Amino acid sequence: MRRIIGSAFLSLDGVMQAPGGPSEDPTGGFAHGGWVFGFSDAEVGPAIARFFARPYDLLLGRRTYDIFAAYWPYVEGDMAEAFTRANKYVLTRGGATLDWANSHALADMDAVGALKATDGSDLLIQGSGTLYPALLRHGLLDRVTTMTFPVLLGAGKRLFGEGTPPGSLRLVEAQVTAGGVAIATWEPAGPVPEGGMPWLDNVHEAERQRRMAAGEW
């Protein structure tokens, strides 16, 4: 069985949209494309290289595939050659052709689950934030590495967006670079723990509870 392992660049307020450049994804009026480059340091590049050091295939959402297919086949370098050589599995409902070499369409999460159950290389996700809610709901995500940069973007697409199920994560490894980039690897670890401090039974708390119930708080 394969593992599904993700990696994403994040701002401190959880935005992962268009880290690579101004024209990457300006949808929704996003005006800060290319935001990672003001904060990258000597430790970020090696961390990215470690993520792609193992044999892998790529698992991508359709928009990330389109971004990659318009860039990587047209540049030179080891990463470009590796991405072109890898199998690219694209979750897409559309009928448009996937004409980048070694690209394959997946119709839904059942198809992703069937692919995960086969023998082969790990399936790596770069970007493709729309995949995570569904992968978590179906219990298909094995691990995710977040690279959180010291910047607030205020608005934009989030990694764990609408439809993300509640759940806890277990920290596998972590480092903070000299430039303040927090690199952490997480694995799903079951439901959200229940519990917490008991609230006191007094007149002020009773009044607060009444105001909450009445929509006045």
Side-chain angles (χ1 to χ4, degrees), residues 84-120:
T84 295
R85 185 170 58 249
N87 285 307
K88 291 162 285 290
Y89 296 97
V90 186
L91 193 67
T92 177
R93 296 188 182 92
T97 302
L98 305 176
D99 55 8
W100 189 9
N102 305 312
S103 298
H104 315 276
L106 298 176
D108 51 31
M109 279 294 149
D110 288 340
V112 175
L115 176 63
K116 177 179 168 62
T118 64
D119 293 330

Side-chain angles (χ1 to χ4, degrees), residues 49-73:
R50 287 194 299 273
F51 181 75
F52 290 107
R54 76 205 83 185
Y56 64 86
D57 292 329
L58 292 172
L59 176 63
L60 303 170
R62 182 56 200 253
R63 289 189 176 183
T64 298
Y65 173 83
D66 288 343
I67 292 168
F68 279 22
Y71 180 80
W72 290 110

Side-chain angles (χ1 to χ4, degrees), residues 176-214:
V176 178
T177 73
V181 181
I183 303 172
T185 298
W186 311 88
E187 292 180 348
V192 177
E194 296 183 0
M197 55 187 280
W199 292 108
L200 300 178
D201 183 11
N202 58 57
V203 63
H204 293 95
E205 178 61 14
E207 174 60 14
R208 191 180 73 90
Q209 293 290 334
R210 184 199 68 76
R211 290 174 60 201
M212 283 195 295

